[in-house]
């Protein structure tokens, strides 16, 4: 099992954002998480990669417990070194691209493997170039972010995440900040990753992508997973009334 969340709750003060989340993800799955804004989708991803600490429950990656807090006891003690390792095993792509503005596309992709993993500089730069080629941006390797479109910046961000050779990719609404005509180029890169067998959790408003690429779809609302199933089951025959209402509003 690549990802396991057991009875995970997360609160910010009195606001309970995640309520008893139970989720397992196997190697090679593409799990698409849909639902209204504020339903806890992004927080779920942030608890997975340790950007947020859970309030209670357990989180495991590849069978290794990375966060645990049960019955009010303190958090599982986890070293900063292990936190860093988790960061390399989980690639994260955010809504905003967060590229270093003073670095070229190639430098952005190569920076983390060189500084965090201490990989050889030339080897890493060669690999960064191959990753830019993979996302269709080899010809933009010397451009700075300010000279790239939003879609190009997001593809650089995907290449940057892949440079750490993650076992799991997390996407938090990666197309929501893009102009509509730029969405397709980012989704195509994600589809290719899925075809290659990358394990992916994708928070998305792109229902066509979830239907076409997802192996499983989760519908979240009010901090809970209300329904999950194959794309066919969720989009063609949802059982939960809240799922039905949501899909009626967002599907053409």
């Amino acid at each position: 099992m690549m990802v396991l969340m057991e009875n995970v709750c997360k609160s910010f003060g009195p606001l309970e954002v995640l309520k008893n989340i139970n989720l397992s993800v196997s190697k090679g799955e593409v799990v698409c998480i849909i639902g209204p804004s504020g339903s806890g989708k992004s927080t779920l991803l942030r608890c997975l990669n340790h950007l947020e600490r859970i309030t209670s429950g357990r989180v495991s990656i590849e069978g290794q417990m990375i966060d645990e807090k049960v019955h009010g006891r303190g958090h599982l003690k986890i070293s900063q070194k292990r936190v860093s390792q988790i960061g390399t095993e989980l690639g994260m792509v955010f809504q905003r691209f967060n590229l270093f503005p003073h670095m070229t596309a190639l430098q952005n992709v190569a920076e983390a493997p060189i500084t965090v993993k201490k990989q050889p500089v030339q080897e890493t730069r060669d690999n960064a170039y191959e990753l830019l080629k993979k996302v269709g941006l080899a010809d933009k390797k010397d451009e700075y972010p300010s000279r790239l479109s939003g879609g190009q910046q997001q593809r650089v961000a995907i290449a940057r995440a892949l440079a750490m050779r993650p076992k799991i990719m997390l996407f938090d609404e990666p197309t929501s900040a893009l102009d509509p005509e730029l969405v397709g180029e980012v989704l195509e890169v994600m589809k290719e990753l899925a075809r290659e067998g990358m394990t992916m959790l994708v928070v998305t408003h792109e229902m066509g992508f979830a239907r076409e690429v997802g192996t499983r779809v989760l519908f979240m609302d009010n901090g809970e997973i209300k329904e999950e199933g194959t794309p066919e089951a969720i989009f063609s025959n949802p059982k939960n009334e809240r799922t039905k209402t949501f899909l009626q509003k967002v599907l053409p």
Side-chain angles (χ1 to χ4, degrees), residues 29-61:
E29 274 200 282
V30 179
V31 178
C32 293
I33 307 171
I34 65 173
S37 296
S39 58
K41 306 184 299 296
S42 296
T43 301
L44 187 153
L45 293 190
R46 292 175 67 85
C47 287
L48 272 180
N49 70 0
H50 229 254
L51 290 174
E52 300 288 353
R53 301 302 301 272
I54 61 176
T55 302
S56 63
R58 295 184 177 93
V59 179
S60 302
I61 303 294

Side-chain angles (χ1 to χ4, degrees), residues 135 149-152 155 181-190:
V135 300
S149 71
Q152 290 168 337
R155 284 187 280 157
E181 67 269 22
L182 302 177
V183 168
E185 62 191 55
V186 174
L187 293 181
E188 193 52 48
V189 171
M190 295 168 63

Side-chain angles (χ1 to χ4, degrees), residues 62-225:
E62 285 198 303
Q64 296 189 56
M65 195 78 69
I66 64 165
D67 207 354
E68 179 181 33
K69 192 174 184 184
V70 184
H71 303 310
R73 297 201 309 269
H75 278 284
L76 177 79
K77 297 298 183 185
I78 180 169
S79 69
Q80 188 57 47
K81 181 179 179 181
R82 181 65 186 127
V83 171
S84 297
Q85 288 176 334
I86 294 164
T88 66
E89 293 166 8
L90 297 170
M92 183 88 174
V93 178
F94 299 88
Q95 297 176 34
R96 295 289 172 182
F97 328 121
N98 299 323
L99 299 179
F100 296 115
H102 62 289
M103 293 184 180
T104 64
L106 186 74
Q107 290 169 334
N108 264 282
V109 176
E111 176 67 14
I114 291 171
T115 58
V116 177
K117 286 193 166 183
K118 311 300 182 186
Q119 292 181 359
V121 172
Q122 191 55 53
E123 175 188 322
T124 303
R125 287 179 175 165
D126 290 344
N127 183 57
Y129 178 75
E130 291 302 314
L131 287 170
L132 287 175
K133 188 187 296 185
K134 181 185 183 73
V135 300
L137 291 174
D139 61 328
K140 302 292 185 182
K141 66 181 180 67
D142 296 322
E143 297 286 1
Y144 290 91
S146 61
R147 294 180 58 84
L148 300 175
S149 71
Q152 290 168 337
Q153 290 186 59
Q154 191 62 297
R155 284 187 280 157
V156 173
I158 293 173
R160 179 179 60 182
L162 292 173
M164 296 296 282
R165 297 186 172 91
K167 298 175 180 177
I168 304 163
M169 285 288 287
L170 310 178
F171 293 88
D172 186 7
E173 297 186 23
T175 60
S176 64
L178 301 177
D179 292 333
E181 67 269 22
L182 302 177
V183 168
E185 62 191 55
V186 174
L187 293 181
E188 193 52 48
V189 171
M190 295 168 63
K191 289 176 186 178
E192 181 60 29
L193 289 177
R195 287 190 287 266
E196 293 172 357
M198 175 65 77
T199 306
M200 297 162 59
L201 281 84
V202 185
V203 171
T204 184
H205 291 302
E206 299 293 335
M207 299 300 148
F209 176 87
R211 189 194 294 265
E212 178 186 349
V213 182
T215 56
R216 187 158 37 118
V217 176
L218 311 182
F219 172 72
M220 288 188 68
D221 186 46
N222 195 31
E224 299 175 306
I225 297 174

